[in-house]
Amino acid sequence: MLLDTGCWLVFIILSTQLLAPISRHLDPSNQHPMKLIAKTLYGLEKTLADELIDLGAKVVQQVNRAVIFEGNKDFLYKVNYCVRSAMSVLMQFSEFQIRSADDLYRNSLKLNWSNYLDPEHTFSIVPVVNSPMFSHTGYPGLILKDAIADWFRQKAGKRPSVNTKDPDIVFNLHISNERVAISLDSSVIPLYKRGYRKDQGSAPINEILAAGIVLISGWKGETPFLDPMCGSGTIPIEAAMIASHIPPGRFRKFYGFQRWKDYDENLFVQVKKESEAKALNPGVKIAGSDISDDAVLIASANVESAGLSDIISIGKDDFRDVRTLDSEGIIIMNPPYGERIKTTDDLYSMIGSSLKHNFAGHTAWLITSDKESLKHVALKPAIKTTLFNGALECILVKYEMYQGSKKNQ
Ligand SMILES: C[S@@+](CC[C@H](N)C(=O)[O-])C[C@H]1O[C@@H](n2cnc3c(N)ncnc32)[C@H](O)[C@@H]1O
């Protein structure tokens, strides 16, 4: 009997702990590390973790399509401004376990919402839900909205309203089975929206993926760079920004944290100044070319808008006619895919033979979702890895074109 009571006690204590919401605060004094989560595309987790460590992140943990780390307010600003391979950065302020929809409401009501917004503010909730407790993703979002509104009605007699178009504060509600995490979105506008794109071709690569591939390649501006199918110029622009140490945030007008209650404009100005101080002219050839007149016009406009006209040259060329005088260099390209099989087969075999015959001494990285056509390149990949461009599964391959005849070409 005594044992039974003991067991119940342990059970009650454990389940109370399980259900108690953990609550963290903003970092008004810039003294207290916050739990930060940078989200990315599948396959870029390690690249992002390495970038965050380079920027100075502490306690870095890779998870599926995200990296968790710690940082003060100035580091949160720095990551948003400088990171190249993240989609957005969240500040997680609460996590708890639930066993029902009611638990979500009750635990949310225990949080001090005035830490994050006032009744005059507007907010929206982005729910990311994977739990058998909820069949509709929108439902837990509505529960959280009700809890926030009821909390303010009880404490202040008036409540902040929801605005999905241009909210002051965006909450991210993540539910995975019984685990709930609530965060503030410090980016709001996804970080791939760098702000330099004036126009886009028919299939532009995501800026984060383009930067991620350049980072994976390890190229930092030591050798000439070419994207011979550059479309709107995303890959050479991201490469030039890496080689020039230009922060990707240079052209952005807005980050979510600028509307937070603890926003410190002077601190952000300081962070930008320090990040910009490292920019330099890489003094290396960076080029893009494309067979299409329209692509050349669009790429040139984007290069100009990024302020990189002195660093990147854009030209019109069929890849089969492109030659180089350089004895080494890097090629990163994103050929067309999803066209009629015959056309792409011919195109990919032309890519293979052009690389082999015209770019000896070079390293080539090619990203495509067209696995079948890729076989027609007929070169042996030194590296082959899977990446996602949004929902589209892609393969990234690396080819080494050795000088002279090599057994593995
Ligand atoms: C998938 S798009 C590249 C998109 C680009 N990465 C961007 O961000 O906009 C493929 C590009 O290859 C170009 N292309 C197709 N065949 C070509 C060839 N033989 N030589 C050069 N460019 C070619 C197309 O005009 C198109 O712009």
PDB file of all heavy atoms in Angstrom, residues 197 200-206 210 227-236 289-292 295 317-320 322 333-337 339 347 350-351, ligand 1:
ATOM      1  N   ARG A 197      17.119  40.843 -55.912  1.00  0.00           N
ATOM      2  CA  ARG A 197      16.529  40.294 -57.128  1.00  0.00           C
ATOM      3  C   ARG A 197      15.563  41.292 -57.758  1.00  0.00           C
ATOM      4  O   ARG A 197      14.540  41.644 -57.176  1.00  0.00           O
ATOM      5  CB  ARG A 197      15.791  38.994 -56.802  1.00  0.00           C
ATOM      6  CG  ARG A 197      15.642  38.066 -57.984  1.00  0.00           C
ATOM      7  CD  ARG A 197      14.799  36.865 -57.635  1.00  0.00           C
ATOM      8  NE  ARG A 197      15.537  35.726 -57.137  1.00  0.00           N
ATOM      9  CZ  ARG A 197      16.330  34.961 -57.852  1.00  0.00           C
ATOM     10  NH1 ARG A 197      16.517  35.230 -59.132  1.00  0.00           N
ATOM     11  NH2 ARG A 197      16.934  33.920 -57.326  1.00  0.00           N
ATOM     12  N   GLN A 200      13.329  37.572 -62.300  1.00  0.00           N
ATOM     13  CA  GLN A 200      13.770  36.182 -62.231  1.00  0.00           C
ATOM     14  C   GLN A 200      13.478  35.465 -63.538  1.00  0.00           C
ATOM     15  O   GLN A 200      12.569  35.828 -64.270  1.00  0.00           O
ATOM     16  CB  GLN A 200      13.103  35.466 -61.081  1.00  0.00           C
ATOM     17  CG  GLN A 200      11.589  35.463 -61.137  1.00  0.00           C
ATOM     18  CD  GLN A 200      11.024  34.781 -59.908  1.00  0.00           C
ATOM     19  OE1 GLN A 200      11.345  35.128 -58.784  1.00  0.00           O
ATOM     20  NE2 GLN A 200      10.195  33.790 -60.155  1.00  0.00           N
ATOM     21  N   GLY A 201      14.278  34.443 -63.842  1.00  0.00           N
ATOM     22  CA  GLY A 201      14.057  33.653 -65.039  1.00  0.00           C
ATOM     23  C   GLY A 201      12.931  32.669 -64.770  1.00  0.00           C
ATOM     24  O   GLY A 201      12.173  32.826 -63.819  1.00  0.00           O
ATOM     25  N   SER A 202      12.849  31.613 -65.592  1.00  0.00           N
ATOM     26  CA  SER A 202      11.726  30.691 -65.440  1.00  0.00           C
ATOM     27  C   SER A 202      11.923  29.757 -64.246  1.00  0.00           C
ATOM     28  O   SER A 202      10.951  29.313 -63.656  1.00  0.00           O
ATOM     29  CB  SER A 202      11.529  29.895 -66.724  1.00  0.00           C
ATOM     30  OG  SER A 202      12.744  29.287 -67.063  1.00  0.00           O
ATOM     31  N   ALA A 203      13.174  29.435 -63.881  1.00  0.00           N
ATOM     32  CA  ALA A 203      13.376  28.479 -62.788  1.00  0.00           C
ATOM     33  C   ALA A 203      14.561  28.900 -61.924  1.00  0.00           C
ATOM     34  O   ALA A 203      15.578  28.222 -61.893  1.00  0.00           O
ATOM     35  CB  ALA A 203      13.610  27.088 -63.377  1.00  0.00           C
ATOM     36  N   PRO A 204      14.429  30.028 -61.218  1.00  0.00           N
ATOM     37  CA  PRO A 204      15.579  30.467 -60.411  1.00  0.00           C
ATOM     38  C   PRO A 204      15.800  29.529 -59.225  1.00  0.00           C
ATOM     39  O   PRO A 204      14.851  29.029 -58.643  1.00  0.00           O
ATOM     40  CB  PRO A 204      15.170  31.852 -59.917  1.00  0.00           C
ATOM     41  CG  PRO A 204      13.687  31.849 -59.933  1.00  0.00           C
ATOM     42  CD  PRO A 204      13.262  30.906 -61.023  1.00  0.00           C
ATOM     43  N   ILE A 205      17.060  29.317 -58.893  1.00  0.00           N
ATOM     44  CA  ILE A 205      17.375  28.489 -57.732  1.00  0.00           C
ATOM     45  C   ILE A 205      17.205  29.355 -56.481  1.00  0.00           C
ATOM     46  O   ILE A 205      17.439  30.564 -56.526  1.00  0.00           O
ATOM     47  CB  ILE A 205      18.815  27.930 -57.869  1.00  0.00           C
ATOM     48  CG1 ILE A 205      19.093  26.854 -56.821  1.00  0.00           C
ATOM     49  CG2 ILE A 205      19.873  29.025 -57.782  1.00  0.00           C
ATOM     50  CD1 ILE A 205      20.390  26.072 -57.100  1.00  0.00           C
ATOM     51  N   ASN A 206      16.766  28.722 -55.412  1.00  0.00           N
ATOM     52  CA  ASN A 206      16.618  29.451 -54.149  1.00  0.00           C
ATOM     53  C   ASN A 206      17.982  30.000 -53.712  1.00  0.00           C
ATOM     54  O   ASN A 206      18.993  29.300 -53.768  1.00  0.00           O
ATOM     55  CB  ASN A 206      16.056  28.461 -53.114  1.00  0.00           C
ATOM     56  CG  ASN A 206      15.780  29.110 -51.786  1.00  0.00           C
ATOM     57  OD1 ASN A 206      16.682  29.622 -51.132  1.00  0.00           O
ATOM     58  ND2 ASN A 206      14.524  29.074 -51.384  1.00  0.00           N
ATOM     59  N   ALA A 210      21.601  28.145 -53.387  1.00  0.00           N
ATOM     60  CA  ALA A 210      22.766  28.583 -54.172  1.00  0.00           C
ATOM     61  C   ALA A 210      23.952  28.871 -53.249  1.00  0.00           C
ATOM     62  O   ALA A 210      25.064  28.376 -53.460  1.00  0.00           O
ATOM     63  CB  ALA A 210      22.406  29.835 -54.987  1.00  0.00           C
ATOM     64  N   ASP A 227      29.514  30.090 -63.701  1.00  0.00           N
ATOM     65  CA  ASP A 227      28.233  29.388 -63.829  1.00  0.00           C
ATOM     66  C   ASP A 227      27.827  29.546 -65.293  1.00  0.00           C
ATOM     67  O   ASP A 227      27.356  30.618 -65.692  1.00  0.00           O
ATOM     68  CB  ASP A 227      27.182  29.985 -62.899  1.00  0.00           C
ATOM     69  CG  ASP A 227      25.804  29.344 -63.113  1.00  0.00           C
ATOM     70  OD1 ASP A 227      25.671  28.493 -64.021  1.00  0.00           O
ATOM     71  OD2 ASP A 227      24.854  29.696 -62.380  1.00  0.00           O
ATOM     72  N   PRO A 228      28.002  28.501 -66.118  1.00  0.00           N
ATOM     73  CA  PRO A 228      27.755  28.640 -67.562  1.00  0.00           C
ATOM     74  C   PRO A 228      26.279  28.491 -67.953  1.00  0.00           C
ATOM     75  O   PRO A 228      25.961  28.562 -69.140  1.00  0.00           O
ATOM     76  CB  PRO A 228      28.590  27.499 -68.152  1.00  0.00           C
ATOM     77  CG  PRO A 228      28.630  26.459 -67.075  1.00  0.00           C
ATOM     78  CD  PRO A 228      28.506  27.164 -65.758  1.00  0.00           C
ATOM     79  N   MET A 229      25.398  28.280 -66.988  1.00  0.00           N
ATOM     80  CA  MET A 229      23.943  28.261 -67.249  1.00  0.00           C
ATOM     81  C   MET A 229      23.295  29.083 -66.147  1.00  0.00           C
ATOM     82  O   MET A 229      22.498  28.594 -65.355  1.00  0.00           O
ATOM     83  CB  MET A 229      23.426  26.812 -67.253  1.00  0.00           C
ATOM     84  CG  MET A 229      24.049  25.968 -68.346  1.00  0.00           C
ATOM     85  SD  MET A 229      23.198  24.436 -68.640  1.00  0.00           S
ATOM     86  CE  MET A 229      24.118  23.834 -70.071  1.00  0.00           C
ATOM     87  N   CYS A 230      23.645  30.368 -66.115  1.00  0.00           N
ATOM     88  CA  CYS A 230      23.413  31.172 -64.898  1.00  0.00           C
ATOM     89  C   CYS A 230      21.989  31.677 -64.747  1.00  0.00           C
ATOM     90  O   CYS A 230      21.640  32.199 -63.686  1.00  0.00           O
ATOM     91  CB  CYS A 230      24.391  32.349 -64.853  1.00  0.00           C
ATOM     92  SG  CYS A 230      24.022  33.632 -66.061  1.00  0.00           S
ATOM     93  N   GLY A 231      21.128  31.531 -65.786  1.00  0.00           N
ATOM     94  CA  GLY A 231      19.746  32.015 -65.649  1.00  0.00           C
ATOM     95  C   GLY A 231      19.736  33.436 -65.111  1.00  0.00           C
ATOM     96  O   GLY A 231      20.356  34.343 -65.670  1.00  0.00           O
ATOM     97  N   SER A 232      19.057  33.632 -63.972  1.00  0.00           N
ATOM     98  CA  SER A 232      18.941  34.984 -63.410  1.00  0.00           C
ATOM     99  C   SER A 232      20.169  35.400 -62.603  1.00  0.00           C
ATOM    100  O   SER A 232      20.168  36.469 -61.980  1.00  0.00           O
ATOM    101  CB  SER A 232      17.687  35.074 -62.543  1.00  0.00           C
ATOM    102  OG  SER A 232      17.779  34.149 -61.483  1.00  0.00           O
ATOM    103  N   GLY A 233      21.197  34.549 -62.563  1.00  0.00           N
ATOM    104  CA  GLY A 233      22.474  34.949 -61.946  1.00  0.00           C
ATOM    105  C   GLY A 233      22.605  34.650 -60.458  1.00  0.00           C
ATOM    106  O   GLY A 233      23.561  35.110 -59.809  1.00  0.00           O
ATOM    107  N   THR A 234      21.675  33.874 -59.902  1.00  0.00           N
ATOM    108  CA  THR A 234      21.693  33.654 -58.443  1.00  0.00           C
ATOM    109  C   THR A 234      23.012  33.052 -57.956  1.00  0.00           C
ATOM    110  O   THR A 234      23.561  33.503 -56.939  1.00  0.00           O
ATOM    111  CB  THR A 234      20.544  32.697 -58.030  1.00  0.00           C
ATOM    112  OG1 THR A 234      19.395  32.973 -58.811  1.00  0.00           O
ATOM    113  CG2 THR A 234      20.223  32.829 -56.556  1.00  0.00           C
ATOM    114  N   ILE A 235      23.519  32.021 -58.648  1.00  0.00           N
ATOM    115  CA  ILE A 235      24.718  31.322 -58.142  1.00  0.00           C
ATOM    116  C   ILE A 235      25.942  32.249 -58.186  1.00  0.00           C
ATOM    117  O   ILE A 235      26.622  32.396 -57.165  1.00  0.00           O
ATOM    118  CB  ILE A 235      24.939  29.975 -58.879  1.00  0.00           C
ATOM    119  CG1 ILE A 235      23.725  29.047 -58.651  1.00  0.00           C
ATOM    120  CG2 ILE A 235      26.213  29.287 -58.381  1.00  0.00           C
ATOM    121  CD1 ILE A 235      23.746  27.734 -59.426  1.00  0.00           C
ATOM    122  N   PRO A 236      26.244  32.911 -59.328  1.00  0.00           N
ATOM    123  CA  PRO A 236      27.398  33.828 -59.284  1.00  0.00           C
ATOM    124  C   PRO A 236      27.225  34.971 -58.287  1.00  0.00           C
ATOM    125  O   PRO A 236      28.203  35.398 -57.659  1.00  0.00           O
ATOM    126  CB  PRO A 236      27.518  34.358 -60.714  1.00  0.00           C
ATOM    127  CG  PRO A 236      26.438  33.753 -61.508  1.00  0.00           C
ATOM    128  CD  PRO A 236      25.740  32.715 -60.697  1.00  0.00           C
ATOM    129  N   SER A 289      27.260  32.870 -67.575  1.00  0.00           N
ATOM    130  CA  SER A 289      26.833  32.989 -68.963  1.00  0.00           C
ATOM    131  C   SER A 289      25.599  32.125 -69.158  1.00  0.00           C
ATOM    132  O   SER A 289      25.289  31.257 -68.342  1.00  0.00           O
ATOM    133  CB  SER A 289      27.957  32.590 -69.922  1.00  0.00           C
ATOM    134  OG  SER A 289      28.444  31.315 -69.616  1.00  0.00           O
ATOM    135  N   ASP A 290      24.890  32.416 -70.251  1.00  0.00           N
ATOM    136  CA  ASP A 290      23.654  31.674 -70.535  1.00  0.00           C
ATOM    137  C   ASP A 290      23.378  31.774 -72.032  1.00  0.00           C
ATOM    138  O   ASP A 290      23.778  32.743 -72.675  1.00  0.00           O
ATOM    139  CB  ASP A 290      22.481  32.246 -69.727  1.00  0.00           C
ATOM    140  CG  ASP A 290      21.336  31.261 -69.579  1.00  0.00           C
ATOM    141  OD1 ASP A 290      20.604  31.046 -70.580  1.00  0.00           O
ATOM    142  OD2 ASP A 290      21.169  30.697 -68.477  1.00  0.00           O
ATOM    143  N   ILE A 291      22.677  30.768 -72.539  1.00  0.00           N
ATOM    144  CA  ILE A 291      22.363  30.746 -73.978  1.00  0.00           C
ATOM    145  C   ILE A 291      21.225  31.724 -74.312  1.00  0.00           C
ATOM    146  O   ILE A 291      21.075  32.134 -75.460  1.00  0.00           O
ATOM    147  CB  ILE A 291      21.984  29.298 -74.387  1.00  0.00           C
ATOM    148  CG1 ILE A 291      22.081  29.097 -75.886  1.00  0.00           C
ATOM    149  CG2 ILE A 291      20.607  28.910 -73.877  1.00  0.00           C
ATOM    150  CD1 ILE A 291      21.989  27.624 -76.304  1.00  0.00           C
ATOM    151  N   SER A 292      20.460  32.106 -73.287  1.00  0.00           N
ATOM    152  CA  SER A 292      19.255  32.901 -73.541  1.00  0.00           C
ATOM    153  C   SER A 292      19.502  34.402 -73.367  1.00  0.00           C
ATOM    154  O   SER A 292      20.078  34.831 -72.358  1.00  0.00           O
ATOM    155  CB  SER A 292      18.140  32.419 -72.599  1.00  0.00           C
ATOM    156  OG  SER A 292      17.394  33.486 -72.094  1.00  0.00           O
ATOM    157  N   ALA A 295      17.789  35.679 -70.223  1.00  0.00           N
ATOM    158  CA  ALA A 295      18.508  35.348 -68.984  1.00  0.00           C
ATOM    159  C   ALA A 295      19.677  36.318 -68.783  1.00  0.00           C
ATOM    160  O   ALA A 295      19.910  36.796 -67.668  1.00  0.00           O
ATOM    161  CB  ALA A 295      18.999  33.902 -69.029  1.00  0.00           C
ATOM    162  N   ASP A 317      26.364  32.925 -74.083  1.00  0.00           N
ATOM    163  CA  ASP A 317      27.126  31.833 -74.685  1.00  0.00           C
ATOM    164  C   ASP A 317      26.378  30.514 -74.572  1.00  0.00           C
ATOM    165  O   ASP A 317      25.739  30.258 -73.547  1.00  0.00           O
ATOM    166  CB  ASP A 317      28.455  31.646 -73.940  1.00  0.00           C
ATOM    167  CG  ASP A 317      29.618  32.289 -74.664  1.00  0.00           C
ATOM    168  OD1 ASP A 317      29.707  32.081 -75.890  1.00  0.00           O
ATOM    169  OD2 ASP A 317      30.407  32.995 -74.000  1.00  0.00           O
ATOM    170  N   ASP A 318      26.508  29.701 -75.585  1.00  0.00           N
ATOM    171  CA  ASP A 318      26.099  28.293 -75.470  1.00  0.00           C
ATOM    172  C   ASP A 318      27.257  27.595 -74.743  1.00  0.00           C
ATOM    173  O   ASP A 318      28.424  27.787 -75.121  1.00  0.00           O
ATOM    174  CB  ASP A 318      25.914  27.723 -76.884  1.00  0.00           C
ATOM    175  CG  ASP A 318      25.375  26.294 -76.869  1.00  0.00           C
ATOM    176  OD1 ASP A 318      25.637  25.558 -75.872  1.00  0.00           O
ATOM    177  OD2 ASP A 318      24.712  25.908 -77.847  1.00  0.00           O
ATOM    178  N   PHE A 319      26.965  26.791 -73.750  1.00  0.00           N
ATOM    179  CA  PHE A 319      28.034  26.177 -72.961  1.00  0.00           C
ATOM    180  C   PHE A 319      29.000  25.370 -73.838  1.00  0.00           C
ATOM    181  O   PHE A 319      30.200  25.293 -73.561  1.00  0.00           O
ATOM    182  CB  PHE A 319      27.442  25.301 -71.846  1.00  0.00           C
ATOM    183  CG  PHE A 319      28.487  24.675 -70.951  1.00  0.00           C
ATOM    184  CD1 PHE A 319      29.546  25.422 -70.435  1.00  0.00           C
ATOM    185  CD2 PHE A 319      28.424  23.330 -70.624  1.00  0.00           C
ATOM    186  CE1 PHE A 319      30.513  24.850 -69.612  1.00  0.00           C
ATOM    187  CE2 PHE A 319      29.387  22.744 -69.804  1.00  0.00           C
ATOM    188  CZ  PHE A 319      30.433  23.509 -69.293  1.00  0.00           C
ATOM    189  N   ARG A 320      28.437  24.798 -74.941  1.00  0.00           N
ATOM    190  CA  ARG A 320      29.321  23.954 -75.766  1.00  0.00           C
ATOM    191  C   ARG A 320      30.453  24.794 -76.393  1.00  0.00           C
ATOM    192  O   ARG A 320      31.481  24.254 -76.780  1.00  0.00           O
ATOM    193  CB  ARG A 320      28.521  23.176 -76.822  1.00  0.00           C
ATOM    194  CG  ARG A 320      28.105  23.942 -78.039  1.00  0.00           C
ATOM    195  CD  ARG A 320      27.187  23.141 -78.938  1.00  0.00           C
ATOM    196  NE  ARG A 320      25.872  22.930 -78.338  1.00  0.00           N
ATOM    197  CZ  ARG A 320      25.283  21.737 -78.220  1.00  0.00           C
ATOM    198  NH1 ARG A 320      25.884  20.655 -78.655  1.00  0.00           N
ATOM    199  NH2 ARG A 320      24.086  21.643 -77.688  1.00  0.00           N
ATOM    200  N   VAL A 322      31.912  27.467 -74.824  1.00  0.00           N
ATOM    201  CA  VAL A 322      32.690  28.194 -73.807  1.00  0.00           C
ATOM    202  C   VAL A 322      34.049  27.526 -73.619  1.00  0.00           C
ATOM    203  O   VAL A 322      34.160  26.310 -73.498  1.00  0.00           O
ATOM    204  CB  VAL A 322      31.926  28.244 -72.447  1.00  0.00           C
ATOM    205  CG1 VAL A 322      32.758  28.967 -71.390  1.00  0.00           C
ATOM    206  CG2 VAL A 322      30.574  28.933 -72.618  1.00  0.00           C
ATOM    207  N   MET A 333      26.845  24.836 -61.548  1.00  0.00           N
ATOM    208  CA  MET A 333      25.766  25.037 -62.508  1.00  0.00           C
ATOM    209  C   MET A 333      24.506  24.266 -62.149  1.00  0.00           C
ATOM    210  O   MET A 333      24.548  23.251 -61.481  1.00  0.00           O
ATOM    211  CB  MET A 333      26.233  24.684 -63.920  1.00  0.00           C
ATOM    212  CG  MET A 333      26.617  23.234 -64.097  1.00  0.00           C
ATOM    213  SD  MET A 333      27.652  22.965 -65.555  1.00  0.00           S
ATOM    214  CE  MET A 333      26.492  23.279 -66.859  1.00  0.00           C
ATOM    215  N   ASN A 334      23.425  24.791 -62.657  1.00  0.00           N
ATOM    216  CA  ASN A 334      22.089  24.275 -62.372  1.00  0.00           C
ATOM    217  C   ASN A 334      21.377  24.174 -63.731  1.00  0.00           C
ATOM    218  O   ASN A 334      20.649  25.068 -64.127  1.00  0.00           O
ATOM    219  CB  ASN A 334      21.435  25.299 -61.416  1.00  0.00           C
ATOM    220  CG  ASN A 334      19.954  25.197 -61.253  1.00  0.00           C
ATOM    221  OD1 ASN A 334      19.271  26.218 -61.130  1.00  0.00           O
ATOM    222  ND2 ASN A 334      19.439  24.016 -61.234  1.00  0.00           N
ATOM    223  N   PRO A 335      21.657  23.078 -64.484  1.00  0.00           N
ATOM    224  CA  PRO A 335      21.113  22.962 -65.844  1.00  0.00           C
ATOM    225  C   PRO A 335      19.589  22.798 -65.839  1.00  0.00           C
ATOM    226  O   PRO A 335      19.015  22.470 -64.801  1.00  0.00           O
ATOM    227  CB  PRO A 335      21.766  21.682 -66.388  1.00  0.00           C
ATOM    228  CG  PRO A 335      22.722  21.218 -65.372  1.00  0.00           C
ATOM    229  CD  PRO A 335      22.409  21.890 -64.078  1.00  0.00           C
ATOM    230  N   PRO A 336      18.967  22.996 -66.983  1.00  0.00           N
ATOM    231  CA  PRO A 336      17.512  22.826 -67.052  1.00  0.00           C
ATOM    232  C   PRO A 336      17.138  21.381 -66.727  1.00  0.00           C
ATOM    233  O   PRO A 336      17.932  20.472 -66.932  1.00  0.00           O
ATOM    234  CB  PRO A 336      17.174  23.118 -68.516  1.00  0.00           C
ATOM    235  CG  PRO A 336      18.362  23.769 -69.092  1.00  0.00           C
ATOM    236  CD  PRO A 336      19.544  23.357 -68.282  1.00  0.00           C
ATOM    237  N   TYR A 337      15.930  21.190 -66.234  1.00  0.00           N
ATOM    238  CA  TYR A 337      15.440  19.836 -65.969  1.00  0.00           C
ATOM    239  C   TYR A 337      13.961  19.805 -66.277  1.00  0.00           C
ATOM    240  O   TYR A 337      13.331  20.843 -66.465  1.00  0.00           O
ATOM    241  CB  TYR A 337      15.709  19.426 -64.523  1.00  0.00           C
ATOM    242  CG  TYR A 337      15.321  20.472 -63.509  1.00  0.00           C
ATOM    243  CD1 TYR A 337      13.996  20.604 -63.094  1.00  0.00           C
ATOM    244  CD2 TYR A 337      16.270  21.347 -62.998  1.00  0.00           C
ATOM    245  CE1 TYR A 337      13.638  21.581 -62.186  1.00  0.00           C
ATOM    246  CE2 TYR A 337      15.923  22.321 -62.090  1.00  0.00           C
ATOM    247  CZ  TYR A 337      14.602  22.429 -61.688  1.00  0.00           C
ATOM    248  OH  TYR A 337      14.243  23.402 -60.794  1.00  0.00           O
ATOM    249  N   GLU A 339      12.478  18.821 -68.933  1.00  0.00           N
ATOM    250  CA  GLU A 339      12.053  19.065 -70.310  1.00  0.00           C
ATOM    251  C   GLU A 339      11.919  17.718 -71.017  1.00  0.00           C
ATOM    252  O   GLU A 339      12.077  16.680 -70.403  1.00  0.00           O
ATOM    253  CB  GLU A 339      13.061  19.967 -71.009  1.00  0.00           C
ATOM    254  CG  GLU A 339      13.040  21.355 -70.387  1.00  0.00           C
ATOM    255  CD  GLU A 339      14.124  22.262 -70.932  1.00  0.00           C
ATOM    256  OE1 GLU A 339      14.706  21.922 -71.980  1.00  0.00           O
ATOM    257  OE2 GLU A 339      14.391  23.283 -70.301  1.00  0.00           O
ATOM    258  N   LEU A 347      21.514  17.419 -73.870  1.00  0.00           N
ATOM    259  CA  LEU A 347      22.098  18.544 -73.130  1.00  0.00           C
ATOM    260  C   LEU A 347      23.078  18.034 -72.074  1.00  0.00           C
ATOM    261  O   LEU A 347      24.199  18.530 -71.951  1.00  0.00           O
ATOM    262  CB  LEU A 347      20.979  19.345 -72.472  1.00  0.00           C
ATOM    263  CG  LEU A 347      21.436  20.579 -71.714  1.00  0.00           C
ATOM    264  CD1 LEU A 347      21.694  21.727 -72.680  1.00  0.00           C
ATOM    265  CD2 LEU A 347      20.395  21.011 -70.696  1.00  0.00           C
ATOM    266  N   MET A 350      26.190  16.721 -73.595  1.00  0.00           N
ATOM    267  CA  MET A 350      27.029  17.855 -74.017  1.00  0.00           C
ATOM    268  C   MET A 350      27.759  18.453 -72.791  1.00  0.00           C
ATOM    269  O   MET A 350      28.948  18.783 -72.858  1.00  0.00           O
ATOM    270  CB  MET A 350      26.138  18.917 -74.692  1.00  0.00           C
ATOM    271  CG  MET A 350      26.863  20.165 -75.161  1.00  0.00           C
ATOM    272  SD  MET A 350      27.131  21.410 -73.888  1.00  0.00           S
ATOM    273  CE  MET A 350      25.515  22.173 -73.785  1.00  0.00           C
ATOM    274  N   ILE A 351      27.039  18.559 -71.664  1.00  0.00           N
ATOM    275  CA  ILE A 351      27.666  19.119 -70.446  1.00  0.00           C
ATOM    276  C   ILE A 351      28.871  18.256 -70.057  1.00  0.00           C
ATOM    277  O   ILE A 351      29.966  18.765 -69.801  1.00  0.00           O
ATOM    278  CB  ILE A 351      26.648  19.186 -69.278  1.00  0.00           C
ATOM    279  CG1 ILE A 351      25.585  20.245 -69.562  1.00  0.00           C
ATOM    280  CG2 ILE A 351      27.355  19.489 -67.946  1.00  0.00           C
ATOM    281  CD1 ILE A 351      24.418  20.276 -68.569  1.00  0.00           C
TER     282      ILE A 351
HETATM  283  C1  LIG B   1      17.454  25.984 -64.351  1.00  0.00           C
HETATM  284  S1  LIG B   1      17.947  27.374 -65.233  1.00  0.00           S
HETATM  285  C2  LIG B   1      19.188  28.104 -64.231  1.00  0.00           C
HETATM  286  C3  LIG B   1      18.576  28.948 -63.171  1.00  0.00           C
HETATM  287  C4  LIG B   1      19.576  29.778 -62.419  1.00  0.00           C
HETATM  288  N1  LIG B   1      20.404  28.990 -61.530  1.00  0.00           N
HETATM  289  C5  LIG B   1      18.865  30.900 -61.672  1.00  0.00           C
HETATM  290  O1  LIG B   1      19.007  31.000 -60.442  1.00  0.00           O
HETATM  291  O2  LIG B   1      18.099  31.654 -62.285  1.00  0.00           O
HETATM  292  C6  LIG B   1      18.898  26.701 -66.545  1.00  0.00           C
HETATM  293  C7  LIG B   1      19.483  27.716 -67.503  1.00  0.00           C
HETATM  294  O3  LIG B   1      20.294  27.030 -68.446  1.00  0.00           O
HETATM  295  C8  LIG B   1      20.257  27.770 -69.667  1.00  0.00           C
HETATM  296  N2  LIG B   1      20.733  26.897 -70.759  1.00  0.00           N
HETATM  297  C9  LIG B   1      20.106  25.847 -71.359  1.00  0.00           C
HETATM  298  N3  LIG B   1      20.884  25.304 -72.296  1.00  0.00           N
HETATM  299  C10 LIG B   1      22.041  26.011 -72.313  1.00  0.00           C
HETATM  300  C11 LIG B   1      23.256  25.915 -73.053  1.00  0.00           C
HETATM  301  N4  LIG B   1      23.419  24.988 -74.008  1.00  0.00           N
HETATM  302  N5  LIG B   1      24.248  26.801 -72.785  1.00  0.00           N
HETATM  303  C12 LIG B   1      24.080  27.766 -71.847  1.00  0.00           C
HETATM  304  N6  LIG B   1      22.947  27.907 -71.111  1.00  0.00           N
HETATM  305  C13 LIG B   1      21.941  27.035 -71.318  1.00  0.00           C
HETATM  306  C14 LIG B   1      18.801  28.180 -69.765  1.00  0.00           C
HETATM  307  O4  LIG B   1      18.668  29.291 -70.639  1.00  0.00           O
HETATM  308  C15 LIG B   1      18.465  28.491 -68.304  1.00  0.00           C
HETATM  309  O5  LIG B   1      18.612  29.873 -68.039  1.00  0.00           O
END
